[in-house]
Amino acid sequence: MTPSSHTTDSEDSVCLAYGRQVKELLNAGSPAEMLDHLWSIYSDAMAFQQEAGYNPRVSDIFMTFRELVFFIQRIESVKT
């Protein structure tokens, strides 16, 4: 086995594992429901942030939230 085919096999198995995890996640609810939940979580976190004070990670948190929203939107477009 060549190193490049080993890498491909490994990447394929990782992709399959990720796919199984996404499938399991989607069994908990539809992508639209997940988006609603994400917005609720983020809104509550930002409301708490105002009470808690300055957080230097707030922009990182927003970027993670944004990427999760985009991910769920892509999943939703694949399912339909």
Side-chain angles (χ1 to χ4, degrees):
M1 181 183 284
T2 63
S4 62
S5 65
H6 176 71
T7 301
T8 302
D9 291 344
S10 179
E11 288 176 11
D12 288 346
S13 63
V14 168
C15 287
L16 287 171
Y18 285 158
R20 285 189 294 272
Q21 292 298 312
V22 170
K23 183 178 178 180
E24 188 175 319
L25 180 65
L26 291 173
N27 285 335
S30 72
E33 290 171 327
M34 288 184 187
L35 284 174
D36 285 344
H37 295 170
L38 279 173
W39 277 108
S40 293
I41 292 166
Y42 184 74
S43 298
D44 290 347
M46 290 300 102
F48 173 75
Q49 189 61 51
Q50 289 181 344
E51 294 177 24
Y54 174 74
N55 181 351
R57 295 180 43 230
V58 74
S59 62
D60 293 336
I61 293 168
F62 172 74
M63 296 303 285
T64 301
F65 166 76
R66 185 185 78 159
E67 291 305 314
L68 281 170
V69 167
F70 289 161
F71 177 75
I72 297 297
Q73 288 173 335
R74 288 190 302 270
I75 294 297
E76 188 171 35
S77 69
V78 169
K79 283 193 78 167
T80 58

